[in-house]
Amino acid sequence: MIKHNLRMVSKILDLLVLAGLTLFVGCKTQEVETHWSATPVQVDGEMMEWANMPTIYFEDSGVQLGLCNDSENLYILFRFGNESWARAIRMGGVTLWLDNSGKKNKDFGIRYTGGPPLSEMLKPGMTGEGGFQDNLTPEQKERLKKQQEAMADQLKVLYKKGGQEIPIPANGSSGPAVSFASPQGIYTYEFKIPLRKSDAFDYGIGAQPGQTISLGLEWGDIEMGDRQRMRPEGSGMGMPPGGGLPGGGGRGGGAPGGQGSPGMQKLEKQELWVKTQIASPPAR
């Protein structure tokens, strides 16, 4: 029996070595490698450019992270299978902090609010029996849908100094770009951030190949202002205290959370930091 188990473990390890694409780590602060990309990555939320690129899997949270760069931009792949997290990002956003000192300063970042189409989020059974959606009139549901659609697919540049939040297009025309897709049912967010600041847009990391930086991701929490904006007029209802969301089972890593109202799940704020060195082009 022991020999059989050892053979099974050996086979699994061999498969992981042969695959060579996903590394497993069990903590939320980790030094990871950024890989050189010979060509620009298409920011579309799809996995084509990442197919042969190593990624990191955070086993405790069920998050997959990929990092690569060319001479101009840093590209970040952020994936998970948790539906509650996807709904939280669709409503309250995910924030990417970038610190060119290699620490955990939150002086510069971008926040993306978007994700699955609202029609998918509100499809029957998605919100859970007894959720707040079930108590709205058709008119209130329509108003809620329009309010949430207006909030989604937004990108903001964040500066701690002065508390600035600058809306920019998500298509990269101002430098940073973000896109979402859900290939194979996995919620996938892809970021592009310029390495250098330009004369036209001061929205770059301020880093160069060989430099060590830190980046942090925050998601799963909805600000009070966002909850207020999502409240249908005249309903007297809104999101529950603490950023509670309609309940739903997670695919992949389960979402931490406590008990909430019937059909609701209280979602905790998530934060993930990594330190990495911007990759240099291979020597010729």
Side-chain angles (χ1 to χ4, degrees):
M1 177 63 72
I2 294 176
K3 289 183 178 180
H4 174 73
N5 290 340
L6 289 174
R7 285 197 299 269
M8 291 294 295
V9 171
S10 178
K11 286 182 180 179
I12 293 171
L13 290 175
D14 287 343
L15 288 172
L16 288 174
V17 170
L18 287 173
L21 299 180
T22 303
L23 307 175
F24 294 86
V25 295
C27 61
K28 288 194 175 183
T29 301
Q30 181 80 14
E31 290 192 9
V32 301
E33 184 178 0
T34 294
H35 301 272
W36 176 261
S37 178
T39 58
V41 173
Q42 179 99 18
V43 182
D44 54 11
E46 299 293 339
M47 292 293 294
M48 185 171 297
E49 289 95 344
W50 299 91
N52 297 313
M53 195 148 330
T55 61
I56 301 294
Y57 182 71
F58 293 85
E59 194 169 14
D60 58 337
S61 58
V63 167
Q64 182 183 12
L65 187 68
L67 300 173
C68 71
N69 68 273
D70 53 26
S71 60
E72 300 294 329
N73 301 290
L74 174 67
Y75 304 95
I76 300 106
L77 178 74
F78 172 52
R79 309 183 80 212
F80 54 81
N82 190 296
E83 294 172 351
S84 295
W85 287 354
R87 288 197 293 272
I89 292 173
R90 181 64 166 74
M91 297 175 186
V94 54
T95 301
L96 172 66
W97 297 107
L98 298 139
D99 180 8
N100 60 13
S101 72
K103 300 178 181 179
K104 291 186 178 181
N105 296 320
K106 297 180 180 180
D107 297 324
F108 168 70
I110 64 170
R111 178 177 295 131
Y112 173 67
T113 305
L118 197 61
S119 57
E120 178 181 329
M121 292 169 55
L122 301 182
K123 64 186 179 182
M126 188 75 167
T127 59
E129 184 178 357
F132 80 100
Q133 293 282 342
D134 297 337
N135 298 316
L136 302 181
T137 67
E139 293 78 12
Q140 290 170 344
K141 289 181 180 180
E142 183 62 27
R143 283 198 294 269
L144 177 62
K145 179 180 178 181
K146 290 180 179 178
Q147 290 167 347
Q148 291 180 330
E149 286 176 345
M151 290 174 58
D153 298 317
Q154 295 179 356
L155 183 61
K156 292 182 179 179
V157 177
L158 310 178
Y159 291 103
K160 181 179 179 181
K161 186 176 180 180
Q164 291 178 290
E165 295 188 4
I166 305 170
I168 63 171
N171 60 10
S173 59
S174 295
V178 186
S179 186
F180 167 84
S182 51
Q184 291 80 50
I186 303 299
Y187 303 106
T188 303
Y189 304 79
E190 200 170 13
F191 301 80
K192 179 192 80 172
I193 312 295
L195 293 177
R196 292 178 291 274
K197 301 176 182 180
S198 68
D199 295 334
F201 303 108
D202 188 25
Y203 304 151
I205 302 171
Q208 58 186 351
Q211 183 172 339
T212 296
I213 68 168
S214 293
L215 62 91
L217 286 156
E218 289 183 346
W219 72 97
D221 188 32
I222 298 179
E223 298 293 337
M224 180 59 70
D226 294 330
R227 293 199 295 270
Q228 293 292 337
R229 285 194 295 273
M230 287 186 290
R231 178 185 297 162
E233 296 177 7
S235 69
M237 301 181 64
M239 298 298 292
L245 292 173
R251 297 195 302 265
Q259 298 296 321
S261 305
M264 310 294 281
Q265 183 183 44
K266 183 177 179 181
L267 197 64
E268 295 179 358
K269 178 180 177 180
Q270 306 295 312
E271 186 168 349
L272 170 67
W273 280 89
V274 298
K275 182 180 288 188
T276 188
Q277 185 179 64
I278 303 295
S280 298
R284 294 183 178 180

